[in-house]
Amino acid sequence: MLKLNKVHHIAIICSDYEKSKRFYTRILGLEIVREVFRTERQSYKLDLAINGNYAIELFSFPHPPERVSRPEAAGLRHLAFEVDNIEETRNYLLSQNIESETIRIDEYTKKEFFFIADPDNLPIEFYQK
């Protein structure tokens, strides 16, 4: 049987690089590991970490097609982050003018969670530790 160790990273293509870079680094607080402009592709690749752990590659490409997310389409459904305090997290995001749904309770785990959207409308979930 195949043995997987962990999820290495998640790749996200954005439509507005500077806007998404600001969202993921200044709003969500991910750390920049490396930023490269690839001239041959006219594309940025931004490697981001959470608590020192490499997690997300943010890409820019000229004129990427929009992602269909609602109604839900086949493919990646959302990105989820675990947080220590769900209410503080939601209040912080609201203070940054990020629209948020109300906090809900997972019917199976009984943990609190809520969703926002990134600048390209990718659903992002925050889930109580």
Side-chain angles (χ1 to χ4, degrees):
M1 172 179 271
L2 180 66
K3 180 186 176 291
L4 301 177
N5 293 328
K6 65 179 182 176
V7 173
H8 186 266
H9 70 271
I10 297 159
I12 299 171
I13 297 173
C14 62
S15 63
D16 182 325
Y17 180 71
E18 291 302 325
K19 188 175 185 179
S20 291
K21 178 181 174 182
R22 179 185 176 284
F23 175 80
Y24 283 97
T25 60
R26 294 190 185 159
I27 304 292
L28 297 188
L30 278 72
E31 308 141 22
I32 296 175
V33 175
R34 177 178 37 252
E35 182 176 35
V36 177
F37 182 75
R38 302 174 307 172
T39 306
E40 70 283 357
R41 293 183 175 197
Q42 292 298 295
S43 168
Y44 279 98
K45 178 179 181 280
L46 181 65
D47 297 333
L48 300 169
I50 300 170
N51 298 321
N53 296 309
Y54 183 69
I56 293 177
E57 292 178 346
L58 184 66
F59 290 95
S60 70
F61 290 105
H63 315 294
E66 286 189 29
R67 176 187 187 275
V68 177
S69 66
R70 291 182 182 86
E72 291 188 18
L76 179 66
R77 184 174 185 196
H78 63 265
L79 180 60
F81 295 105
E82 178 186 281
V83 297
D84 288 331
N85 187 308
I86 201 79
E87 289 183 22
E88 284 180 10
T89 301
R90 184 172 182 275
N91 289 338
Y92 166 75
L93 292 166
L94 290 171
S95 77
Q96 298 299 309
N97 297 315
I98 303 296
E99 290 184 30
S100 169
E101 67 173 25
T102 58
I103 295 173
R104 298 187 269 161
I105 306 288
D106 184 303
E107 64 183 291
Y108 300 107
T109 66
K110 307 301 182 207
K111 300 274 185 158
E112 294 178 310
F113 70 100
F114 69 93
F115 281 88
I116 65 166
D118 87 347
D120 287 301
N121 208 29
L122 173 66
I124 297 180
E125 177 181 11
F126 295 90
Y127 201 88
Q128 180 68 45
K129 181 176 179 180

